[in-house]
Amino acid sequence: SFAMICILIGVGNWINLKSFSNYIFCLFSISCSVLMGTPFIIVVAVPIGIHLIILFGFLRTLGWSILCLVVWLGGSLLVDLDYYGFATCPILNTLMYNALGSGPGSQLYGVEPLSYYFRNLFVNFNLMFPFAMLMPLSALLVIALKISKNFVSILETSIFLCPLYLWLGFMFCLPHKEERFLFPVYPLICLSAAIFLSNSIQIFDFIVRKISKFENSKSVLYTLVCSLIFLISISRIIAMYNNYSAPYRVWGHVYDNISGTQNNKKMVCIGKEWYRFPSSFFTPETVRLGYISNDFTGQLPRYYLPYKNATKIIPNYFNDKNIGDPSAFVDVSECDYVVDFEPKNQVEPKFSDSKAWSIVFDDEFVDDNNSIFKSFFVPFFTNKKINFSPYRLF
């Protein structure tokens, strides 16, 4: 998301390249996304860099790029030196681990088929996703039908959206896929979809005028399409809130109602639900998070060691093989509270069946892996088509 904000600023200045200040903001924003976000954003930066070189010259662009490198990497190195006690380059480490073969690579954390990104992009953008993908075709049709005589403007628009298609092509080819990897180009998906809609309305109006005298086709189509996108988006928001917000309400209850003391902190434990823990902002300072043993065998997040120089100490249980460490777990008898989800088909013992634990607070969480209705709310149908199970605090 940080890289997304940087790209939004950078591309905004790139498109609106009317002054030298736009040029500087573009360079600094894009370089920040590469050097302070993720190095793979270089895929997005290539067409931008080539265009800036053509407009402003190679030497000037090179000089300002070196300055960006010094500012961002220099600041990063100084902060890392202060916190870690030694100079390091996170960008280089990321490249070495994921791309240059010094580590197992991202495949260690799971691989997904191409359909994974298609599903994610559709549920997040609904019609805007296919619109964004079809934008080049709509531009070609506008040119072919001679609807617009401004060929240069259409060409410039295509250039501005090159980073989107390069990034998607690059991400789709990687075996390890995560939704967050697409975040950097979310603004460009919206831009591309908007341009497609504009082109499509022009094409539709052109065809309608050829076969009838109807003059309001543009406004009618625009209203219909935008209304449909709006309704599907609202449906998605309602589904997300109704079906998936239980962990936030349960942990919100923990924050509001559970407290210990600095010398006697309460321990709230999680097992298989460790990956749905929102963040430490949901636990007061007098509450400590504990992990109880479950089927997950990889590494878990850990607290810093209780020393003043804790950020400079690298515990030996961290590794680049995603091998878990038994010391991460606590015995369930040490827990004051436990947060757990209890689906209907759960095989392992349930805390609700144990006399040692009582329910303090619970909420409903969706328990259905195959229904489209868990992703979109459809009045009168959703509640009949999906199942819920309790998400509980014991």
Side-chain angles (χ1 to χ4, degrees), residues 356-368:
W357 296 94
S358 59
I359 300 170
V360 177
F361 181 84
D362 67 353
D363 208 331
E364 287 188 329
F365 190 82
V366 68
D367 183 13
D368 197 327

mmCIF file with all atom_site columns, all heavy atoms in Angstrom, residues 356-368:
data_model
loop_
_atom_site.group_PDB
_atom_site.id
_atom_site.type_symbol
_atom_site.label_atom_id
_atom_site.label_alt_id
_atom_site.label_comp_id
_atom_site.label_asym_id
_atom_site.label_entity_id
_atom_site.label_seq_id
_atom_site.pdbx_PDB_ins_code
_atom_site.Cartn_x
_atom_site.Cartn_y
_atom_site.Cartn_z
_atom_site.occupancy
_atom_site.B_iso_or_equiv
_atom_site.pdbx_formal_charge
_atom_site.auth_seq_id
_atom_site.auth_comp_id
_atom_site.auth_asym_id
_atom_site.auth_atom_id
_atom_site.pdbx_PDB_model_num
ATOM 1   N N   . ALA A 1 356 ? -13.498 -26.632 31.130 1.00 0.00 ? 356 ALA A N   1
ATOM 2   C CA  . ALA A 1 356 ? -12.508 -25.707 31.684 1.00 0.00 ? 356 ALA A CA  1
ATOM 3   C C   . ALA A 1 356 ? -12.648 -24.297 31.114 1.00 0.00 ? 356 ALA A C   1
ATOM 4   O O   . ALA A 1 356 ? -12.066 -23.352 31.653 1.00 0.00 ? 356 ALA A O   1
ATOM 5   C CB  . ALA A 1 356 ? -11.099 -26.234 31.420 1.00 0.00 ? 356 ALA A CB  1
ATOM 6   N N   . TRP A 1 357 ? -13.418 -24.172 30.026 1.00 0.00 ? 357 TRP A N   1
ATOM 7   C CA  . TRP A 1 357 ? -13.534 -22.865 29.363 1.00 0.00 ? 357 TRP A CA  1
ATOM 8   C C   . TRP A 1 357 ? -14.999 -22.487 29.207 1.00 0.00 ? 357 TRP A C   1
ATOM 9   O O   . TRP A 1 357 ? -15.848 -23.331 28.937 1.00 0.00 ? 357 TRP A O   1
ATOM 10  C CB  . TRP A 1 357 ? -12.880 -22.899 27.976 1.00 0.00 ? 357 TRP A CB  1
ATOM 11  C CG  . TRP A 1 357 ? -11.399 -23.135 28.040 1.00 0.00 ? 357 TRP A CG  1
ATOM 12  C CD1 . TRP A 1 357 ? -10.752 -24.340 27.947 1.00 0.00 ? 357 TRP A CD1 1
ATOM 13  C CD2 . TRP A 1 357 ? -10.395 -22.149 28.242 1.00 0.00 ? 357 TRP A CD2 1
ATOM 14  N NE1 . TRP A 1 357 ? -9.407  -24.165 28.075 1.00 0.00 ? 357 TRP A NE1 1
ATOM 15  C CE2 . TRP A 1 357 ? -9.148  -22.821 28.259 1.00 0.00 ? 357 TRP A CE2 1
ATOM 16  C CE3 . TRP A 1 357 ? -10.404 -20.776 28.416 1.00 0.00 ? 357 TRP A CE3 1
ATOM 17  C CZ2 . TRP A 1 357 ? -7.943  -22.154 28.426 1.00 0.00 ? 357 TRP A CZ2 1
ATOM 18  C CZ3 . TRP A 1 357 ? -9.206  -20.107 28.589 1.00 0.00 ? 357 TRP A CZ3 1
ATOM 19  C CH2 . TRP A 1 357 ? -7.993  -20.797 28.599 1.00 0.00 ? 357 TRP A CH2 1
ATOM 20  N N   . SER A 1 358 ? -15.276 -21.205 29.385 1.00 0.00 ? 358 SER A N   1
ATOM 21  C CA  . SER A 1 358 ? -16.630 -20.686 29.187 1.00 0.00 ? 358 SER A CA  1
ATOM 22  C C   . SER A 1 358 ? -16.590 -19.549 28.171 1.00 0.00 ? 358 SER A C   1
ATOM 23  O O   . SER A 1 358 ? -15.564 -18.866 28.011 1.00 0.00 ? 358 SER A O   1
ATOM 24  C CB  . SER A 1 358 ? -17.221 -20.179 30.509 1.00 0.00 ? 358 SER A CB  1
ATOM 25  O OG  . SER A 1 358 ? -16.410 -19.146 31.047 1.00 0.00 ? 358 SER A OG  1
ATOM 26  N N   . ILE A 1 359 ? -17.686 -19.347 27.481 1.00 0.00 ? 359 ILE A N   1
ATOM 27  C CA  . ILE A 1 359 ? -17.749 -18.332 26.426 1.00 0.00 ? 359 ILE A CA  1
ATOM 28  C C   . ILE A 1 359 ? -17.934 -16.947 27.052 1.00 0.00 ? 359 ILE A C   1
ATOM 29  O O   . ILE A 1 359 ? -18.877 -16.709 27.802 1.00 0.00 ? 359 ILE A O   1
ATOM 30  C CB  . ILE A 1 359 ? -18.915 -18.631 25.457 1.00 0.00 ? 359 ILE A CB  1
ATOM 31  C CG1 . ILE A 1 359 ? -18.726 -20.008 24.803 1.00 0.00 ? 359 ILE A CG1 1
ATOM 32  C CG2 . ILE A 1 359 ? -19.016 -17.544 24.389 1.00 0.00 ? 359 ILE A CG2 1
ATOM 33  C CD1 . ILE A 1 359 ? -19.935 -20.482 24.019 1.00 0.00 ? 359 ILE A CD1 1
ATOM 34  N N   . VAL A 1 360 ? -17.004 -16.032 26.723 1.00 0.00 ? 360 VAL A N   1
ATOM 35  C CA  . VAL A 1 360 ? -17.065 -14.663 27.214 1.00 0.00 ? 360 VAL A CA  1
ATOM 36  C C   . VAL A 1 360 ? -17.768 -13.759 26.207 1.00 0.00 ? 360 VAL A C   1
ATOM 37  O O   . VAL A 1 360 ? -18.582 -12.907 26.563 1.00 0.00 ? 360 VAL A O   1
ATOM 38  C CB  . VAL A 1 360 ? -15.644 -14.122 27.513 1.00 0.00 ? 360 VAL A CB  1
ATOM 39  C CG1 . VAL A 1 360 ? -15.698 -12.666 27.952 1.00 0.00 ? 360 VAL A CG1 1
ATOM 40  C CG2 . VAL A 1 360 ? -14.939 -14.977 28.546 1.00 0.00 ? 360 VAL A CG2 1
ATOM 41  N N   . PHE A 1 361 ? -17.458 -13.973 24.940 1.00 0.00 ? 361 PHE A N   1
ATOM 42  C CA  . PHE A 1 361 ? -18.037 -13.156 23.870 1.00 0.00 ? 361 PHE A CA  1
ATOM 43  C C   . PHE A 1 361 ? -17.941 -13.942 22.569 1.00 0.00 ? 361 PHE A C   1
ATOM 44  O O   . PHE A 1 361 ? -16.970 -14.679 22.361 1.00 0.00 ? 361 PHE A O   1
ATOM 45  C CB  . PHE A 1 361 ? -17.257 -11.837 23.738 1.00 0.00 ? 361 PHE A CB  1
ATOM 46  C CG  . PHE A 1 361 ? -17.796 -10.905 22.681 1.00 0.00 ? 361 PHE A CG  1
ATOM 47  C CD1 . PHE A 1 361 ? -18.852 -10.052 22.949 1.00 0.00 ? 361 PHE A CD1 1
ATOM 48  C CD2 . PHE A 1 361 ? -17.231 -10.879 21.410 1.00 0.00 ? 361 PHE A CD2 1
ATOM 49  C CE1 . PHE A 1 361 ? -19.350 -9.189  21.978 1.00 0.00 ? 361 PHE A CE1 1
ATOM 50  C CE2 . PHE A 1 361 ? -17.716 -10.021 20.429 1.00 0.00 ? 361 PHE A CE2 1
ATOM 51  C CZ  . PHE A 1 361 ? -18.781 -9.178  20.716 1.00 0.00 ? 361 PHE A CZ  1
ATOM 52  N N   . ASP A 1 362 ? -18.945 -13.824 21.717 1.00 0.00 ? 362 ASP A N   1
ATOM 53  C CA  . ASP A 1 362 ? -18.852 -14.488 20.417 1.00 0.00 ? 362 ASP A CA  1
ATOM 54  C C   . ASP A 1 362 ? -19.581 -13.694 19.347 1.00 0.00 ? 362 ASP A C   1
ATOM 55  O O   . ASP A 1 362 ? -20.378 -12.797 19.642 1.00 0.00 ? 362 ASP A O   1
ATOM 56  C CB  . ASP A 1 362 ? -19.353 -15.935 20.475 1.00 0.00 ? 362 ASP A CB  1
ATOM 57  C CG  . ASP A 1 362 ? -20.843 -16.030 20.735 1.00 0.00 ? 362 ASP A CG  1
ATOM 58  O OD1 . ASP A 1 362 ? -21.467 -14.980 20.995 1.00 0.00 ? 362 ASP A OD1 1
ATOM 59  O OD2 . ASP A 1 362 ? -21.392 -17.140 20.691 1.00 0.00 ? 362 ASP A OD2 1
ATOM 60  N N   . ASP A 1 363 ? -19.276 -14.022 18.105 1.00 0.00 ? 363 ASP A N   1
ATOM 61  C CA  . ASP A 1 363 ? -19.879 -13.379 16.950 1.00 0.00 ? 363 ASP A CA  1
ATOM 62  C C   . ASP A 1 363 ? -19.898 -14.384 15.814 1.00 0.00 ? 363 ASP A C   1
ATOM 63  O O   . ASP A 1 363 ? -19.254 -15.438 15.906 1.00 0.00 ? 363 ASP A O   1
ATOM 64  C CB  . ASP A 1 363 ? -19.080 -12.126 16.553 1.00 0.00 ? 363 ASP A CB  1
ATOM 65  C CG  . ASP A 1 363 ? -19.962 -11.094 15.863 1.00 0.00 ? 363 ASP A CG  1
ATOM 66  O OD1 . ASP A 1 363 ? -20.950 -11.498 15.214 1.00 0.00 ? 363 ASP A OD1 1
ATOM 67  O OD2 . ASP A 1 363 ? -19.663 -9.891  15.956 1.00 0.00 ? 363 ASP A OD2 1
ATOM 68  N N   . GLU A 1 364 ? -20.594 -14.062 14.746 1.00 0.00 ? 364 GLU A N   1
ATOM 69  C CA  . GLU A 1 364 ? -20.713 -14.989 13.617 1.00 0.00 ? 364 GLU A CA  1
ATOM 70  C C   . GLU A 1 364 ? -19.681 -14.682 12.542 1.00 0.00 ? 364 GLU A C   1
ATOM 71  O O   . GLU A 1 364 ? -19.476 -13.530 12.171 1.00 0.00 ? 364 GLU A O   1
ATOM 72  C CB  . GLU A 1 364 ? -22.115 -14.918 13.022 1.00 0.00 ? 364 GLU A CB  1
ATOM 73  C CG  . GLU A 1 364 ? -23.184 -15.556 13.875 1.00 0.00 ? 364 GLU A CG  1
ATOM 74  C CD  . GLU A 1 364 ? -24.516 -15.637 13.152 1.00 0.00 ? 364 GLU A CD  1
ATOM 75  O OE1 . GLU A 1 364 ? -24.788 -14.751 12.314 1.00 0.00 ? 364 GLU A OE1 1
ATOM 76  O OE2 . GLU A 1 364 ? -25.273 -16.595 13.394 1.00 0.00 ? 364 GLU A OE2 1
ATOM 77  N N   . PHE A 1 365 ? -19.047 -15.756 12.046 1.00 0.00 ? 365 PHE A N   1
ATOM 78  C CA  . PHE A 1 365 ? -18.061 -15.647 10.974 1.00 0.00 ? 365 PHE A CA  1
ATOM 79  C C   . PHE A 1 365 ? -18.454 -16.627 9.876  1.00 0.00 ? 365 PHE A C   1
ATOM 80  O O   . PHE A 1 365 ? -18.886 -17.750 10.167 1.00 0.00 ? 365 PHE A O   1
ATOM 81  C CB  . PHE A 1 365 ? -16.663 -15.981 11.506 1.00 0.00 ? 365 PHE A CB  1
ATOM 82  C CG  . PHE A 1 365 ? -15.540 -15.669 10.554 1.00 0.00 ? 365 PHE A CG  1
ATOM 83  C CD1 . PHE A 1 365 ? -15.050 -14.386 10.449 1.00 0.00 ? 365 PHE A CD1 1
ATOM 84  C CD2 . PHE A 1 365 ? -14.979 -16.671 9.771  1.00 0.00 ? 365 PHE A CD2 1
ATOM 85  C CE1 . PHE A 1 365 ? -14.001 -14.089 9.579  1.00 0.00 ? 365 PHE A CE1 1
ATOM 86  C CE2 . PHE A 1 365 ? -13.947 -16.387 8.902  1.00 0.00 ? 365 PHE A CE2 1
ATOM 87  C CZ  . PHE A 1 365 ? -13.453 -15.093 8.808  1.00 0.00 ? 365 PHE A CZ  1
ATOM 88  N N   . VAL A 1 366 ? -18.314 -16.216 8.617  1.00 0.00 ? 366 VAL A N   1
ATOM 89  C CA  . VAL A 1 366 ? -18.774 -17.048 7.515  1.00 0.00 ? 366 VAL A CA  1
ATOM 90  C C   . VAL A 1 366 ? -18.051 -18.395 7.508  1.00 0.00 ? 366 VAL A C   1
ATOM 91  O O   . VAL A 1 366 ? -16.847 -18.481 7.740  1.00 0.00 ? 366 VAL A O   1
ATOM 92  C CB  . VAL A 1 366 ? -18.592 -16.305 6.165  1.00 0.00 ? 366 VAL A CB  1
ATOM 93  C CG1 . VAL A 1 366 ? -17.117 -16.140 5.818  1.00 0.00 ? 366 VAL A CG1 1
ATOM 94  C CG2 . VAL A 1 366 ? -19.325 -17.036 5.045  1.00 0.00 ? 366 VAL A CG2 1
ATOM 95  N N   . ASP A 1 367 ? -18.808 -19.462 7.278  1.00 0.00 ? 367 ASP A N   1
ATOM 96  C CA  . ASP A 1 367 ? -18.254 -20.818 7.282  1.00 0.00 ? 367 ASP A CA  1
ATOM 97  C C   . ASP A 1 367 ? -18.686 -21.512 5.995  1.00 0.00 ? 367 ASP A C   1
ATOM 98  O O   . ASP A 1 367 ? -19.455 -22.467 6.006  1.00 0.00 ? 367 ASP A O   1
ATOM 99  C CB  . ASP A 1 367 ? -18.771 -21.573 8.510  1.00 0.00 ? 367 ASP A CB  1
ATOM 100 C CG  . ASP A 1 367 ? -18.183 -22.978 8.625  1.00 0.00 ? 367 ASP A CG  1
ATOM 101 O OD1 . ASP A 1 367 ? -17.201 -23.268 7.903  1.00 0.00 ? 367 ASP A OD1 1
ATOM 102 O OD2 . ASP A 1 367 ? -18.707 -23.779 9.413  1.00 0.00 ? 367 ASP A OD2 1
ATOM 103 N N   . ASP A 1 368 ? -18.208 -20.982 4.878  1.00 0.00 ? 368 ASP A N   1
ATOM 104 C CA  . ASP A 1 368 ? -18.599 -21.517 3.571  1.00 0.00 ? 368 ASP A CA  1
ATOM 105 C C   . ASP A 1 368 ? -17.502 -21.181 2.572  1.00 0.00 ? 368 ASP A C   1
ATOM 106 O O   . ASP A 1 368 ? -17.209 -20.019 2.324  1.00 0.00 ? 368 ASP A O   1
ATOM 107 C CB  . ASP A 1 368 ? -19.926 -20.905 3.127  1.00 0.00 ? 368 ASP A CB  1
ATOM 108 C CG  . ASP A 1 368 ? -20.583 -21.689 2.004  1.00 0.00 ? 368 ASP A CG  1
ATOM 109 O OD1 . ASP A 1 368 ? -19.833 -22.251 1.186  1.00 0.00 ? 368 ASP A OD1 1
ATOM 110 O OD2 . ASP A 1 368 ? -21.813 -21.735 1.949  1.00 0.00 ? 368 ASP A OD2 1
#
